[in-house]
Amino acid sequence: MNRITQLFGIKYPIVQGGMVWCSGWRLASAVSNAGGLGLLGAGSMHPETLREHIRKCREATQKPFGVNIPLMYPQIDEIMQMVADEGIRIVFTSAGSPAKWTGWLKERGITVVHVVSSSKFARKAEAAGVDAVVAEGFEAGGHNGREETTTLCLIPAVCQAVSLPVIAAGGIATGRAIRAVQVLGAEGVQIGTRFALTAESSAAEAFKLRCLELEEGDTRLMLKKLAPARLVRNAFSDEVNAAENAGAGEDELRALLGRGRAKLGMFEGNLDEGELEIGQASALLRGKGIQTVAEVMQELTDEYNASAQ
Amino acid sequence: MNRITQLFGIKYPIVQGGMVWCSGWRLASAVSNAGGLGLLGAGSMHPETLREHIRKCREATQKPFGVNIPLMYPQIDEIMQMVADEGIRIVFTSAGSPAKWTGWLKERGITVVHVVSSSKFARKAEAAGVDAVVAEGFEAGGHNGREETTTLCLIPAVCQAVSLPVIAAGGIATGRAIRAVQVLGAEGVQIGTRFALTAESSAAEAFKLRCLELEEGDTRLMLKKLAPARLVRNAFSDEVNAAENAGAGEDELRALLGRGRAKLGMFEGNLDEGELEIGQASALLRGKGIQTVAEVMQELTDEYNASAQ
């Protein structure tokens, strides 16, 4: 794993996903301090909140860190300008076309990585001029691609489609999984679930503890008629599921979803009525309890080293 | 990879999935002759047809081969007795509880492997006395588990849950993927899609050629209200999809499905109205054309050897 560590100037090719309601300055700086790449998650922050997190993150680490910006962000012009003004050197973009902003960011000397769910989107990202892609599979938590391609099938396809370095995401929570996706051609990994459940994550403790006791099958990709998202099964998702099974259309689902469901669940800890976004890999973490980022990074690197073939 | 090759007496820990409409004596004997384990797929055969395939397979190879029997097979008593009478030494069971038949088969000295989609079912299979489990992920073709757990997340969970040897299935069509699931703890692989599209497969050539030009996202897990199955997108699946989106219930879906759809599509080559079962890994095979089993086995082992870390 080489082009990725060089691109970001980091020790381990381990990127922490810039997740809504989890990825503030505490998490990002802890991951960067431990040798990975921490990302602030702009998706759940107002521009001024993000500015504050950028400044606090810079105080908390001397190491490189970045920002993840969903391209459907409402005040996208404002937040891009602010990120550039604050001297951010690494931007991950997701959930939208990389055509518009990649050039703008690159002109300012910013390293750009785009998140894709297919080799078709990977080729578009390469054409737009990004420096690397994150290829994220079906097993990932939260918002997800429509193709439903799993990480095992997606990584080789994307590696074949582009010459850029590929960062694998979705289902990666252990050192063995890092080794496995490296075998498939990835040069780095983006890990969401495992870091979302650490002590430094800004998610509610109740959310973390619930996710740390999930079994296989307890998350499901839902809301496919709006934007597909992987959610933990709870009272809210059961309601969505019943509506979907009965043929509910977009409007009905949008009304059911309402506003602020992810905040309610993940940040405020309402486990019944909130939207709980986490990946399938959560079921591999049962019994681990809430760990620190340093503990997680140590386990990942130890397992990775022990899994050499 | 050791316990699996020993269990079956084979050279490579590569099992060919016993798939409906693909896995007759030509395919199974070719895989066994090439050093893997060929399986006859009883699911699409009348008992007397299976008997004929068993006898022809025995004429075509001196090597071990087996039979896959879905436990929801209508004449299950008859076919089990016949398989035992014909001297079959290896039976893979799927789609049902292993509690009833495992003991019966073991008493007759038959090696029994059960296909599971979760660690919960793997523990049940171990308790029933099977010799190994196939753990099959969401990306696999045809009938599939309700948990939707991908191979990357499923294999480590099953390996942790049981002490039996684990055969990984779902999304494995290359030597790199074999290495990757080995990193995750699997001791063998079951490959369906890749072998379904070989010259020796009994599927229609039109079906094979269609599957060899699929792109990512061209298969989808459908019919979840009946029994989930991964199908190629075509006129028939579009109709199912529209009905499901409109909230169709079990009866309506069953009527839409009718009878003999898989035979119509996979065996008779009706690409519009038939049910075309294939895995996500098909999208990694574009441009390969229809290969022989010997060519596939050579590629798999060469890629596997080249992927050592």
Side-chain angles (χ1 to χ4, degrees), chain B residues 191-244:
Chain B
I191 294 181
T193 293
R194 185 91 192 250
F195 287 124
L197 307 179
T198 58
E200 291 90 340
S201 156
S202 53
E205 186 171 327
F207 167 75
K208 296 177 192 175
L209 292 173
R210 174 76 187 102
C211 291
L212 286 166
E213 61 181 28
L214 294 176
E215 299 191 30
E216 297 150 52
D218 280 346
T219 71
R220 212 54 72 88
L221 196 68
M222 311 191 76
L223 295 167
K224 296 183 192 183
K225 287 176 186 168
L226 305 178
R230 178 169 298 283
L231 305 183
V232 176
R233 193 178 163 180
N234 67 357
F236 164 66
S237 81
D238 282 350
E239 213 180 338
V240 171
N241 190 48
E244 291 184 331

Side-chain angles (χ1 to χ4, degrees), chain B residues 160-299:
Chain B
Q160 202 175 358
V162 298
S163 57
L164 295 171
V166 174
I167 299 167
I172 303 163
T174 66
R176 280 190 179 210
I178 297 174
R179 173 81 64 185
V181 295
Q182 184 184 12
V183 168
L184 299 174
E187 294 182 57
V189 295
Q190 179 176 290
I191 294 181
T193 293
R194 185 91 192 250
F195 287 124
L197 307 179
T198 58
E200 291 90 340
S201 156
S202 53
E205 186 171 327
F207 167 75
K208 296 177 192 175
L209 292 173
R210 174 76 187 102
C211 291
L212 286 166
E213 61 181 28
L214 294 176
E215 299 191 30
E216 297 150 52
D218 280 346
T219 71
R220 212 54 72 88
L221 196 68
M222 311 191 76
L223 295 167
K224 296 183 192 183
K225 287 176 186 168
L226 305 178
R230 178 169 298 283
L231 305 183
V232 176
R233 193 178 163 180
N234 67 357
F236 164 66
S237 81
D238 282 350
E239 213 180 338
V240 171
N241 190 48
E244 291 184 331
N245 279 339
E250 286 184 42
D251 290 347
E252 193 180 335
L253 290 171
R254 209 168 276 124
L256 196 54
L257 184 57
R259 289 185 167 273
R261 284 272 183 187
K263 183 180 187 186
L264 181 67
M266 301 169 71
F267 196 66
E268 297 171 8
N270 185 329
L271 303 185
D272 294 324
E273 294 306 322
E275 187 179 332
L276 310 178
E277 303 183 358
I278 207 76
Q280 284 193 353
S282 53
L284 298 170
L285 304 176
R286 259 191 304 164
K288 282 201 183 283
I290 296 174
Q291 297 177 296
T292 65
V293 164
E295 286 168 347
V296 166
M297 287 293 281
Q298 189 65 51
E299 273 191 34

Side-chain angles (χ1 to χ4, degrees), chain A residues 49-306:
Chain A
T49 311
L50 178 60
R51 190 196 298 274
E52 189 188 321
H53 278 270
I54 290 172
R55 293 183 178 179
K56 284 188 173 162
C57 200
R58 189 157 287 136
E59 279 171 32
T61 183
Q62 305 289 315
K63 303 280 179 61
F65 67 94
V67 177
N68 178 284
I69 304 177
L71 291 168
M72 59 184 183
Y73 190 91
Q75 306 121 300
I76 185 80
D77 298 78
E78 186 186 341
I79 207 160
M80 285 290 188
Q81 188 61 55
M82 187 274 288
V83 159
D85 291 346
E86 289 291 323
I88 286 292
R89 312 304 301 154
I90 300 167
V91 169
F92 280 49
T93 56
S94 57
S97 163
K100 182 167 177 201
W101 285 101
T102 301
W104 190 92
L105 291 163
K106 295 289 295 172
E107 279 165 24
R108 284 153 183 81
I110 295 170
T111 298
V112 182
V113 181
H114 189 62
V115 182
V116 301
S117 58
S118 72
S119 54
K120 189 176 84 180
F121 290 140
R123 280 191 291 266
K124 285 188 181 176
E126 186 168 52
V130 305
D131 297 286
V133 291
V134 174
E136 186 173 76
F138 170 82
E139 45 273 82
H143 288 279
N144 206 301
R146 295 196 179 277
E147 304 83 7
E148 305 193 3
T149 306
T150 72
T151 300
L152 179 59
C153 293
L154 180 63
I155 303 307
V158 171
C159 289
Q160 201 175 0
V162 299
S163 57
L164 295 171
V166 174
I167 299 167
I172 303 163
T174 66
R176 280 189 178 209
I178 297 174
R179 173 81 64 184
V181 295
Q182 185 183 11
V183 168
L184 299 173
E187 294 183 57
V189 295
Q190 180 175 291
I191 294 180
T193 293
R194 185 93 193 248
F195 286 126
L197 306 179
T198 57
E200 291 90 340
S201 155
S202 54
E205 187 171 328
F207 167 75
K208 296 177 193 176
L209 292 173
R210 174 77 186 102
C211 291
L212 287 166
E213 60 182 29
L214 294 176
E215 299 191 29
E216 296 149 53
D218 280 347
T219 71
R220 213 54 72 89
L221 196 69
M222 313 191 74
L223 295 167
K224 296 181 191 183
K225 287 176 186 167
L226 305 177
R230 178 168 299 283
L231 305 183
V232 176
R233 193 179 163 182
N234 66 358
F236 164 66
S237 81
D238 282 349
E239 213 179 340
V240 171
N241 191 47
E244 290 183 331
N245 279 340
E250 285 185 42
D251 290 347
E252 193 181 332
L253 290 171
R254 208 168 276 124
L256 195 55
L257 183 57
R259 288 186 167 272
R261 284 270 184 189
K263 183 179 186 184
L264 181 67
M266 301 169 71
F267 197 66
E268 296 170 7
N270 185 329
L271 302 185
D272 294 322
E273 294 306 323
E275 186 180 332
L276 309 178
E277 302 183 0
I278 207 75
Q280 284 192 351
S282 54
L284 298 169
L285 304 176
R286 258 192 305 165
K288 281 201 181 285
I290 296 174
Q291 297 177 298
T292 65
V293 164
E295 286 168 348
V296 166
M297 287 293 281
Q298 189 65 50
E299 273 191 34
L300 292 176
T301 50
D302 287 352
E303 283 170 7
Y304 174 80
N305 290 329

